[in-house]
């Protein structure tokens, strides 16, 4: 996971930045999703950016936190016919892109931009050229 995170940050020109990654289960992700997004269900990945808001300048090198549910990752990997490791890469890229300001929920153009960037990075770090962006 460390190597892939490093590759992703390098590809985005954020190689001098830090993130924290939490890999947990559906129950904990559901709690976080309920608390911070008002959605009472588990999800595959959550991102908590540290470069937004009033205190964003306190730690300029800290991008934030990415939380991934291993339960959901494994289930989605099986459903997609890919390895858990490949699905984890898709989710990690997605989460990190949210940390640096990409947001697919802001509209069609932003969603397309995020998908294109995801695919570009995925192609750099995975050997499976058939993988699609998340």
């Amino acid at each position: 996971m460390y190597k892939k995170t490093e590759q992703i940050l390098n590809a985005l020109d954020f190689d001098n930045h830090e993130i924290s990654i939490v890999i947990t289960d559906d129950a904990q992700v559901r709690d976080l999703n309920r608390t911070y997004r008002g959605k009472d269900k588990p999800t595959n990945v959550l991102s908590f950016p540290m470069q937004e808001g009033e205190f964003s300048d306190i730690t300029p090198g800290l991008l934030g936190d990415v939380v991934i549910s291993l339960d959901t990752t494994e289930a989605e990997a099986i459903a997609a016919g890919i390895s858990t490791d490949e699905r984890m890469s898709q989710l990690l890229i997605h989460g990190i892109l949210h940390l640096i300001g990409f947001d697919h929920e802001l509209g069609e153009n932003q969603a397309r931009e995020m998908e294109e960037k995801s695919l570009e990075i995925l192609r750099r770090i995975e050997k499976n050229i058939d993988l699609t962006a998340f």
Side-chain angles (χ1 to χ4, degrees), residues 72-84 87:
T72 300
T73 300
E74 290 173 337
E76 290 176 348
I78 290 168
I82 60 176
S83 72
T84 299
R87 183 62 181 146

Side-chain angles (χ1 to χ4, degrees), residues 4-7 27 47-48 55 57-58 62 83 95 99-100 128 134:
K4 285 187 181 185
T5 303
E6 185 176 43
Q7 290 173 320
S47 295
F48 298 95
F55 302 106
D57 59 342
I58 290 176
L62 180 60
S83 72
L99 294 181
I100 65 168
N128 182 352
F134 167 64

Side-chain angles (χ1 to χ4, degrees), residues 10-65:
N10 286 342
L12 293 167
D13 292 324
F14 280 87
D15 48 321
N16 290 322
H17 291 76
E18 297 177 50
I19 67 167
S20 72
I21 301 168
V22 176
I23 299 173
T24 188
D25 60 16
D26 275 350
Q28 188 172 12
V29 168
R30 181 182 187 153
D31 288 344
L32 291 169
N33 205 20
R34 182 183 327 110
T35 300
Y36 295 101
R37 298 185 67 228
K39 297 183 180 193
D40 191 16
K41 61 182 182 177
T43 189
N44 47 22
V45 62
L46 293 168
S47 295
F48 298 95
M50 298 292 288
Q51 298 301 308
E52 296 176 356
E54 184 180 352
F55 302 106
S56 62
D57 59 342
I58 290 176
T59 53
L62 180 60
L63 295 177
D65 308 313

Side-chain angles (χ1 to χ4, degrees), residues 72-130:
T72 300
T73 300
E74 290 173 337
E76 290 176 348
I78 290 168
I82 60 176
S83 72
T84 299
D85 191 50
E86 289 169 330
R87 183 62 181 146
M88 189 71 73
S89 292
Q90 291 171 323
L91 295 172
L92 185 58
I93 291 166
H94 187 85
I96 291 172
L97 287 176
H98 274 297
L99 294 181
I100 65 168
F102 284 81
D103 193 346
H104 56 89
E105 295 179 2
L106 293 178
E108 221 174 275
N109 288 340
Q110 290 87 341
R112 187 173 41 258
E113 233 178 84
M114 190 169 184
E115 185 176 343
E116 288 170 4
K117 184 55 85 173
S118 294
L119 191 55
E120 173 191 323
I121 295 168
L122 195 59
R123 296 289 185 248
R124 286 187 189 189
I125 68 168
E126 288 294 330
K127 291 179 173 51
N128 182 352
I129 61 167
D130 295 326

